[in-house]
Amino acid sequence: MSPITLILIAIGLGLAGWLAGRAKAWSFQKGNPEVRPVARPTYHAWYVAFWVVLPVLAFLTVWSFIAPQLVTQSVLASPGAEGLPTFGFERDAWLSEARAVASGNAPGVFNEGAEPLIEPYREALSRYSMIGLVMTLLIAFGGGAFAFLRVRPDFRARTKVERTVMVVLLLASLVAILTTFGIFASLVFETIRFFGMVSPVDFLFGTFWGPDPMSSADNPDGSRYGAIPLFWGTIFIGAIIAMIVAIPLGLMSAIYLTQYADPKLRAWIKPALEILAGVPTVVYGYFAALTVAPAIRDAAVAIGLTNASTESALAAGIVMGVMIIPFVSSMADDSIAAVPSAMRDGSLAMGATKSETIRRVLFPAALPGIVAGIMLAVSRAIGETMIVVMAASTAANLSANPLERMTTVTVQIVKMLTGEGSFDHPATLSAFALGFVLFLVTLALNFVALRVVKRFREAYD
């Protein structure tokens, strides 16, 4: 029985508990009209429902990790597992094939050696599914009975329910923080392993990037892991070219939409502009590779630059800038529109022109939101992969010429992790070091944005 089925059963039992708790709470008033419960029947109902559903969800979360291991151990202990190969990859492949057939997700196995494992898998899956169902029912009935017996006229169910909801909301708010710490911890662990093989000085200050996944992992060549070209490509494409395109166009469109555009025209232009944020990046990649890059090459050849390539940092940066225009425009639009009208009217009443009011009143007052939008756009740009792969190539190149091929950190992360290299090889571990540096850069940008927002918000509130 799948976890989804068990969750649906738990929800059904929770609904039954809700109805039972509500019916019992109503019976207090019906039996004796002079009795006034301290909580409404709805709170008693939710108290019983929470005691049914929440313990079951906690059990299912733990069971989803334990059950697969128990099934695998049961299969390995069966007589059919005697012919399993000792090699790890082939062994896992046989087990996966047998499990897929036993679960009904595959019609048959590719390796005949996995055939004897199908029936043990069926038996183990059936047995542990039944165990999970029985435990779910026992926990649900136990929790429901405990809560149902506590439903009394003097029971403060409202306080219990509100505290439970507060705890759930607190856990939900901690998910993002715990996820960030988890990502940081995994990156730090793998980065330390990488720096144990390659010197941090060679990685952070080297100017040649050419890891060889097929080389010996015992004695890696640190000179092949210089990440400066990757850092420069990321900054040049995502933080320079893209921002040169996105910031002026985004700010000017926001100013026009908030100060000059007719309301009917704004109602059409603003949604059309924000559609750009919903276009898949692979579509931008096709547009950059098939339209923008050839146009830039033809223009370069027309002015006498014969060494222009169809893959260039300029093509990727321009399309990336177009992609992040909505991030800058929407944040600037909302920030300018949120400036109190008294500030704008006061400036105009003092004799300032509309353009002067925008430059000296509205723009400074809206600066926190504008900076936040720009930083969000920068973070989005430096994390982009598909456009760079399709328009700027995967070649690490340290150059200031925007017409040459370049690559970024994210492209190399994908390249290093999608091969068949071992996770103990420095070429694979270098992806984690690159991700760690990118994480720190993005974090620094967020801190800068927060400092700017805090400073100007105090000045204009």
Side-chain angles (χ1 to χ4, degrees):
M1 189 171 293
S2 65
I4 301 298
T5 305
L6 295 177
I7 291 175
L8 294 177
I9 292 175
I11 293 175
L13 294 174
L15 178 59
W18 190 91
L19 295 173
R22 188 171 182 270
K24 185 176 180 181
W26 273 113
S27 67
F28 299 148
Q29 293 180 334
K30 291 181 180 180
N32 187 358
E34 297 181 358
V35 176
R36 295 182 61 85
V38 297
R40 295 177 62 85
T42 303
Y43 288 104
H44 290 282
W46 280 113
Y47 179 75
V48 177
F50 284 158
W51 266 101
V52 173
V53 175
L54 295 181
V56 170
L57 293 180
F59 164 73
L60 292 179
T61 301
V62 177
W63 184 250
S64 63
F65 292 99
I66 296 177
Q69 303 297 327
L70 295 176
V71 170
T72 303
Q73 293 299 325
S74 178
V75 172
L76 293 177
S78 66
E82 295 178 355
L84 272 176
T86 56
F87 183 63
F89 177 78
E90 189 176 1
R91 179 191 184 94
D92 294 340
W94 285 25
L95 291 173
S96 299
E97 291 180 13
R99 184 186 184 93
V101 175
S103 303
N105 297 325
V109 296
F110 180 76
N111 297 294
E112 295 183 358
E115 190 74 30
L117 301 174
I118 297 177
E119 194 59 34
Y121 253 120
R122 284 201 183 104
E123 295 177 358
L125 290 172
S126 177
R127 180 168 61 255
Y128 286 105
S129 294
M130 184 59 64
I131 293 175
L133 176 61
V134 171
M135 291 297 298
T136 298
L137 296 176
L138 290 177
I139 293 173
F141 282 117
F146 171 79
F148 186 80
L149 293 175
R150 298 190 69 185
V151 175
R152 298 185 302 273
D154 60 343
F155 181 65
R156 299 183 179 276
R158 177 179 176 178
T159 303
K160 301 292 184 180
V161 170
E162 289 181 347
R163 287 179 178 175
T164 302
V165 173
M166 184 181 66
V167 171
V168 171
L169 294 177
L170 176 62
L171 293 177
S173 64
L174 291 176
V175 168
I177 299 175
L178 296 177
T179 302
T180 302
F181 277 114
I183 293 173
F184 182 77
S186 62
L187 288 177
V188 168
F189 177 76
E190 300 296 342
T191 301
I192 292 175
R193 290 182 59 196
F194 172 72
F195 285 147
M197 303 176 183
V198 177
S199 171
V201 176
D202 293 337
F203 176 76
L204 296 174
F205 301 102
T207 57
F208 175 73
W209 178 263
D212 183 10
M214 305 305 296
S215 63
S216 175
D218 298 329
N219 189 23
D221 185 3
S223 62
R224 300 180 65 89
Y225 291 89
I228 289 294
L230 306 184
F231 300 148
W232 168 245
T234 302
I235 296 172
F236 192 54
I237 296 175
I240 296 179
I241 300 177
M243 290 300 107
I244 290 175
V245 175
I247 292 177
L249 294 179
L251 294 181
M252 287 189 290
S253 62
I255 292 172
Y256 173 75
L257 291 175
T258 56
Q259 303 301 316
Y260 295 99
D262 183 84
K264 294 182 178 179
L265 182 62
R266 171 185 167 86
W268 285 92
I269 293 181
K270 186 173 174 61
L273 182 63
E274 292 180 347
I275 287 176
L276 291 174
V279 177
T281 56
V282 67
V283 176
Y284 283 111
Y286 282 128
F287 176 66
L290 301 179
T291 304
V292 177
I296 292 176
R297 179 200 58 195
D298 295 341
V301 172
I303 62 176
L305 301 176
T306 57
N307 59 344
S309 173
T310 55
E311 295 177 323
S312 64
L314 183 60
I318 290 175
V319 176
M320 195 180 296
V322 173
M323 179 189 68
I324 61 178
I325 285 176
F327 293 91
V328 179
S329 176
S330 295
M331 294 289 289
D333 187 314
D334 296 338
S335 300
I336 294 174
V339 175
S341 58
M343 297 180 66
R344 178 175 58 251
D345 296 341
S347 175
L348 295 174
M350 292 293 293
T353 63
K354 200 167 189 176
S355 61
E356 290 174 339
T357 300
I358 293 171
R359 285 186 289 109
R360 299 187 179 184
V361 178
L362 298 181
F363 193 85
L367 191 60
I370 294 174
V371 171
I374 292 175
M375 291 302 171
L376 178 63
V378 172
S379 300
R380 177 71 176 83
I382 64 176
E384 177 54 38
T385 303
M386 188 58 66
I387 296 176
V388 180
V389 171
M390 302 182 71
S393 83
T394 60
N397 187 17
L398 185 60
S399 173
N401 185 358
L403 298 178
E404 293 187 5
R405 299 178 177 180
M406 290 187 188
T407 191
T408 60
V409 169
T410 54
V411 173
Q412 291 301 312
I413 291 175
V414 173
K415 183 179 179 181
M416 294 295 103
L417 291 179
T418 53
E420 297 182 357
S422 170
F423 270 83
D424 294 327
H425 197 281
T428 305
L429 294 176
S430 65
F432 295 95
L434 292 172
F436 180 70
V437 174
L438 190 63
F439 178 86
L440 293 180
V441 170
T442 306
L443 191 64
L445 289 175
N446 290 333
F447 277 122
V448 171
L450 289 174
R451 293 292 298 176
V452 172
V453 169
K454 182 178 179 180
R455 176 183 176 185
F456 286 94
R457 181 173 292 166
E458 292 176 350
Y460 290 101
D461 275 352

Coordinates of all heavy atoms in Angstrom, one line a residue, residues 374-432:
I374 N 16.7 44.7 -8.2 CA 17.9 44.5 -8.9 C 18.7 43.3 -8.4 O 19.3 42.5 -9.1 CB 18.7 45.8 -8.9 CG1 18.0 46.9 -9.7 CG2 20.1 45.6 -9.5 CD1 18.7 48.3 -9.6
M375 N 18.8 43.2 -7.1 CA 19.6 42.1 -6.5 C 18.9 40.8 -6.8 O 19.6 39.8 -7.0 CB 19.7 42.3 -5.0 CG 20.6 43.5 -4.6 SD 22.3 43.3 -5.2 CE 23.0 44.9 -4.9
L376 N 17.6 40.8 -6.7 CA 16.9 39.5 -7.1 C 17.2 39.2 -8.6 O 17.4 38.0 -8.9 CB 15.4 39.7 -6.9 CG 14.5 38.5 -7.3 CD1 14.8 37.3 -6.4 CD2 13.1 38.9 -7.2
A377 N 17.3 40.2 -9.4 CA 17.6 39.9 -10.8 C 19.0 39.4 -11.0 O 19.3 38.5 -11.8 CB 17.3 41.2 -11.7
V378 N 19.9 40.0 -10.3 CA 21.3 39.6 -10.3 C 21.5 38.1 -9.9 O 22.1 37.3 -10.5 CB 22.2 40.5 -9.5 CG1 23.7 39.9 -9.4 CG2 22.3 41.9 -10.1
S379 N 20.8 37.8 -8.8 CA 20.9 36.4 -8.3 C 20.3 35.4 -9.3 O 20.8 34.3 -9.5 CB 20.1 36.3 -7.0 OG 20.7 37.1 -6.0
R380 N 19.2 35.9 -10.0 CA 18.6 35.0 -11.0 C 19.5 34.9 -12.2 O 19.6 33.8 -12.8 CB 17.3 35.6 -11.4 CG 16.5 34.9 -12.5 CD 16.0 33.6 -12.0 NE 15.2 32.9 -13.0 CZ 15.7 32.1 -14.0 NH1 17.0 31.9 -14.0 NH2 15.0 31.5 -14.8
A381 N 20.2 35.9 -12.5 CA 21.1 35.9 -13.7 C 22.3 35.0 -13.5 O 22.7 34.2 -14.4 CB 21.5 37.3 -14.1
I382 N 22.9 35.1 -12.3 CA 24.2 34.4 -12.1 C 23.9 32.9 -11.9 O 24.8 32.1 -12.0 CB 25.0 34.9 -10.9 CG1 24.2 34.8 -9.6 CG2 25.4 36.4 -11.2 CD1 25.0 35.2 -8.4
G383 N 22.6 32.5 -11.7 CA 22.3 31.1 -11.5 C 21.7 30.5 -12.8 O 21.4 29.3 -12.8
E384 N 21.7 31.3 -13.9 CA 21.1 30.7 -15.1 C 22.1 29.8 -15.8 O 23.3 30.0 -15.8 CB 20.8 31.9 -16.1 CG 20.2 31.5 -17.4 CD 19.1 30.5 -17.3 OE1 18.2 30.7 -16.4 OE2 19.0 29.6 -18.2
T385 N 21.6 28.8 -16.4 CA 22.4 27.7 -17.1 C 22.1 27.5 -18.5 O 23.0 27.6 -19.4 CB 22.3 26.4 -16.3 OG1 22.6 26.6 -15.0 CG2 23.2 25.3 -16.9
M386 N 20.8 27.3 -18.9 CA 20.4 26.9 -20.2 C 20.8 27.9 -21.3 O 21.3 27.6 -22.3 CB 18.9 26.6 -20.2 CG 18.4 26.0 -21.5 SD 19.2 24.4 -21.9 CE 18.6 23.4 -20.5
I387 N 20.6 29.2 -21.0 CA 20.9 30.2 -22.0 C 22.4 30.2 -22.3 O 22.8 30.3 -23.4 CB 20.4 31.6 -21.5 CG1 18.9 31.6 -21.4 CG2 20.9 32.7 -22.4 CD1 18.4 32.9 -20.8
V388 N 23.2 30.1 -21.2 CA 24.7 30.1 -21.4 C 25.1 28.9 -22.2 O 26.0 29.0 -23.1 CB 25.4 30.2 -20.0 CG1 26.9 30.2 -20.2 CG2 24.9 31.4 -19.2
V389 N 24.6 27.7 -21.9 CA 24.9 26.5 -22.6 C 24.6 26.6 -24.1 O 25.5 26.3 -25.0 CB 24.2 25.3 -22.0 CG1 24.4 24.1 -22.9 CG2 24.7 25.0 -20.6
M390 N 23.5 27.2 -24.5 CA 23.0 27.2 -25.9 C 23.6 28.4 -26.6 O 23.7 28.4 -27.9 CB 21.5 27.2 -25.9 CG 20.9 26.0 -25.2 SD 19.1 26.0 -25.3 CE 18.9 25.6 -27.1
A391 N 24.0 29.5 -25.9 CA 24.4 30.7 -26.6 C 25.9 31.1 -26.4 O 26.4 31.8 -27.2 CB 23.5 31.9 -26.3
A392 N 26.5 30.6 -25.3 CA 27.8 31.1 -25.0 C 28.8 29.9 -24.9 O 30.0 30.1 -24.6 CB 27.8 31.9 -23.7
S393 N 28.4 28.7 -25.1 CA 29.2 27.5 -25.1 C 29.6 27.1 -23.7 O 29.2 27.7 -22.7 CB 30.4 27.6 -25.9 OG 31.5 28.3 -25.2
T394 N 30.4 26.0 -23.6 CA 30.8 25.5 -22.3 C 32.4 25.7 -22.1 O 32.9 25.1 -21.2 CB 30.5 24.0 -22.1 OG1 31.1 23.3 -23.2 CG2 29.0 23.8 -22.2
A395 N 32.9 26.5 -23.0 CA 34.4 26.7 -23.0 C 34.8 27.8 -21.9 O 34.3 28.9 -22.0 CB 34.9 27.1 -24.3
A396 N 35.6 27.4 -21.0 CA 36.1 28.4 -20.0 C 37.1 29.3 -20.7 O 38.2 28.8 -21.1 CB 36.8 27.7 -18.8
N397 N 36.8 30.6 -20.7 CA 37.7 31.5 -21.4 C 37.8 32.8 -20.6 O 36.8 33.4 -20.1 CB 37.1 31.9 -22.8 CG 38.0 32.7 -23.6 OD1 39.2 32.8 -23.3 ND2 37.5 33.3 -24.7
L398 N 39.0 33.3 -20.3 CA 39.3 34.5 -19.6 C 39.6 35.6 -20.5 O 40.7 35.8 -21.0 CB 40.4 34.3 -18.6 CG 40.7 35.4 -17.6 CD1 39.6 35.7 -16.7 CD2 42.0 35.1 -16.8
S399 N 38.5 36.4 -20.9 CA 38.6 37.4 -21.9 C 37.6 38.5 -21.6 O 36.5 38.2 -21.0 CB 38.4 36.8 -23.3 OG 38.4 37.9 -24.3
A400 N 37.9 39.7 -22.0 CA 37.0 40.8 -21.9 C 36.3 41.1 -23.2 O 35.5 42.1 -23.3 CB 37.7 42.1 -21.4
N401 N 36.5 40.3 -24.2 CA 35.8 40.4 -25.5 C 34.4 39.8 -25.4 O 34.3 38.6 -25.3 CB 36.7 39.8 -26.6 CG 36.1 40.1 -28.0 OD1 35.0 40.7 -28.1 ND2 36.8 39.6 -29.0
P402 N 33.4 40.5 -25.5 CA 32.0 39.9 -25.4 C 31.7 39.0 -26.6 O 30.7 38.3 -26.5 CB 31.1 41.1 -25.3 CG 31.8 42.2 -26.0 CD 33.3 42.0 -25.7
L403 N 32.4 39.1 -27.7 CA 32.1 38.3 -28.9 C 32.8 36.9 -28.8 O 32.6 36.1 -29.7 CB 32.6 39.0 -30.1 CG 32.0 40.4 -30.4 CD1 32.5 41.0 -31.7 CD2 30.4 40.2 -30.6
E404 N 33.5 36.6 -27.8 CA 34.2 35.3 -27.6 C 33.3 34.4 -26.8 O 32.4 34.8 -26.1 CB 35.5 35.5 -27.0 CG 36.5 36.2 -27.9 CD 37.9 36.2 -27.3 OE1 38.1 35.5 -26.2 OE2 38.8 36.8 -27.8
R405 N 33.6 33.1 -26.9 CA 32.9 32.1 -26.1 C 33.3 32.1 -24.7 O 34.5 32.4 -24.3 CB 33.2 30.7 -26.7 CG 32.8 30.5 -28.1 CD 33.1 29.1 -28.6 NE 32.7 28.9 -30.0 CZ 32.9 27.8 -30.6 NH1 33.5 26.8 -30.0 NH2 32.4 27.6 -31.9
M406 N 32.3 31.9 -23.8 CA 32.6 31.9 -22.4 C 31.6 30.9 -21.7 O 30.7 30.4 -22.4 CB 32.4 33.3 -21.7 CG 33.4 34.3 -22.1 SD 33.3 35.8 -21.2 CE 34.5 36.9 -22.0
T407 N 31.9 30.6 -20.5 CA 31.0 29.8 -19.7 C 30.9 30.3 -18.3 O 31.6 31.3 -17.9 CB 31.5 28.3 -19.7 OG1 30.5 27.5 -19.1 CG2 32.7 28.2 -18.8
T408 N 30.0 29.7 -17.5 CA 29.7 30.2 -16.2 C 29.9 29.1 -15.1 O 30.0 27.9 -15.5 CB 28.3 30.8 -16.0 OG1 27.3 29.8 -16.4 CG2 28.1 32.0 -17.0
V409 N 29.8 29.4 -13.9 CA 29.9 28.5 -12.8 C 28.8 27.4 -12.9 O 29.1 26.2 -12.8 CB 29.9 29.2 -11.4 CG1 29.8 28.2 -10.3 CG2 31.1 30.0 -11.3
T410 N 27.6 27.8 -13.1 CA 26.5 26.9 -13.1 C 26.6 25.9 -14.2 O 26.2 24.7 -14.1 CB 25.1 27.6 -13.2 OG1 25.1 28.5 -14.3 CG2 24.9 28.4 -12.0
V411 N 27.1 26.3 -15.4 CA 27.2 25.4 -16.5 C 28.2 24.3 -16.2 O 28.0 23.1 -16.5 CB 27.7 26.2 -17.8 CG1 28.0 25.2 -18.9 CG2 26.6 27.1 -18.2
Q412 N 29.3 24.7 -15.5 CA 30.4 23.7 -15.2 C 29.9 22.8 -14.1 O 30.3 21.6 -14.0 CB 31.7 24.4 -14.8 CG 32.3 25.1 -15.9 CD 32.7 24.2 -17.1 OE1 33.3 23.1 -16.8 NE2 32.4 24.5 -18.3
I413 N 29.1 23.3 -13.2 CA 28.5 22.4 -12.1 C 27.7 21.3 -12.8 O 27.8 20.1 -12.4 CB 27.6 23.2 -11.2 CG1 28.5 24.1 -10.3 CG2 26.8 22.3 -10.3 CD1 27.8 25.1 -9.4
V414 N 26.8 21.7 -13.7 CA 26.0 20.7 -14.5 C 26.9 19.7 -15.2 O 26.7 18.5 -15.2 CB 25.0 21.4 -15.4 CG1 24.3 20.3 -16.3 CG2 24.0 22.2 -14.6
K415 N 27.9 20.2 -15.8 CA 28.8 19.4 -16.6 C 29.6 18.4 -15.8 O 29.7 17.2 -16.1 CB 29.8 20.3 -17.4 CG 30.8 19.5 -18.3 CD 31.7 20.5 -19.0 CE 32.7 19.7 -19.9 NZ 33.6 20.6 -20.6
M416 N 30.0 18.8 -14.6 CA 30.8 17.9 -13.7 C 29.9 16.8 -13.1 O 30.4 15.7 -12.8 CB 31.5 18.7 -12.7 CG 32.6 19.6 -13.2 SD 34.0 18.8 -13.9 CE 33.7 19.0 -15.6
L417 N 28.6 17.2 -12.8 CA 27.8 16.3 -12.1 C 26.9 15.4 -13.0 O 26.3 14.4 -12.5 CB 26.8 17.0 -11.1 CG 27.5 17.7 -10.0 CD1 26.5 18.5 -9.1 CD2 28.3 16.7 -9.1
T418 N 26.9 15.6 -14.3 CA 26.1 14.8 -15.2 C 26.9 13.7 -15.9 O 26.3 13.0 -16.7 CB 25.4 15.7 -16.2 OG1 26.3 16.5 -16.9 CG2 24.3 16.5 -15.5
G419 N 28.2 13.7 -15.6 CA 29.0 12.6 -16.3 C 28.9 11.3 -15.5 O 28.1 11.2 -14.5
E420 N 29.8 10.4 -15.8 CA 29.9 9.1 -15.1 C 31.1 9.0 -14.2 O 31.5 8.0 -13.8 CB 29.9 8.0 -16.1 CG 28.7 7.9 -17.0 CD 28.8 6.8 -18.0 OE1 29.8 6.1 -18.0 OE2 27.8 6.5 -18.7
G421 N 31.6 10.2 -13.8 CA 32.7 10.2 -12.9 C 32.4 9.8 -11.5 O 31.2 10.0 -11.0
S422 N 33.4 9.3 -10.8 CA 33.2 8.9 -9.4 C 33.1 10.2 -8.5 O 33.7 11.2 -8.7 CB 34.3 8.1 -8.9 OG 34.3 7.9 -7.5
F423 N 32.3 10.1 -7.4 CA 32.1 11.2 -6.5 C 33.3 11.3 -5.6 O 33.4 12.2 -4.7 CB 30.9 11.0 -5.6 CG 29.6 11.6 -6.2 CD1 28.9 10.9 -7.2 CD2 29.2 12.8 -5.9 CE1 27.8 11.5 -7.8 CE2 28.1 13.4 -6.5 CZ 27.4 12.7 -7.4
D424 N 34.3 10.4 -5.7 CA 35.5 10.5 -5.0 C 36.6 11.2 -5.8 O 37.8 11.4 -5.4 CB 36.0 9.2 -4.5 CG 35.1 8.5 -3.5 OD1 34.5 9.3 -2.7 OD2 35.0 7.3 -3.5
H425 N 36.3 11.6 -7.1 CA 37.3 12.2 -8.0 C 37.2 13.7 -7.8 O 36.1 14.3 -7.7 CB 37.0 11.8 -9.4 CG 38.1 12.0 -10.3 ND1 38.4 13.3 -10.8 CD2 39.1 11.2 -10.8 CE1 39.5 13.2 -11.6 NE2 39.9 12.0 -11.6
P426 N 38.3 14.4 -7.8 CA 38.3 15.9 -7.7 C 37.5 16.6 -8.8 O 37.0 17.7 -8.5 CB 39.8 16.3 -7.7 CG 40.5 15.1 -8.3 CD 39.7 13.9 -7.9
A427 N 37.4 16.0 -10.0 CA 36.7 16.7 -11.0 C 35.2 16.8 -10.7 O 34.5 17.8 -10.9 CB 36.8 15.9 -12.3
T428 N 34.7 15.7 -10.0 CA 33.3 15.7 -9.6 C 33.1 16.6 -8.4 O 32.1 17.4 -8.3 CB 32.8 14.3 -9.3 OG1 33.0 13.5 -10.4 CG2 31.3 14.3 -8.9
L429 N 34.0 16.5 -7.4 CA 33.9 17.3 -6.2 C 34.1 18.8 -6.5 O 33.7 19.6 -5.7 CB 35.0 16.8 -5.2 CG 34.8 15.4 -4.6 CD1 35.9 15.1 -3.7 CD2 33.4 15.3 -3.9
S430 N 34.7 19.1 -7.6 CA 34.9 20.6 -7.9 C 33.6 21.3 -8.1 O 33.5 22.5 -7.9 CB 35.8 20.7 -9.2 OG 35.1 20.2 -10.3
A431 N 32.5 20.5 -8.5 CA 31.2 21.1 -8.7 C 30.7 21.6 -7.4 O 30.0 22.7 -7.3 CB 30.3 20.1 -9.3
F432 N 31.0 20.9 -6.3 CA 30.5 21.4 -5.0 C 31.3 22.6 -4.5 O 30.7 23.5 -3.9 CB 30.7 20.3 -3.9 CG 29.8 19.1 -4.2 CD1 30.3 18.0 -4.9 CD2 28.5 19.1 -3.8 CE1 29.5 16.9 -5.2 CE2 27.7 18.0 -4.0 CZ 28.1 16.9 -4.7

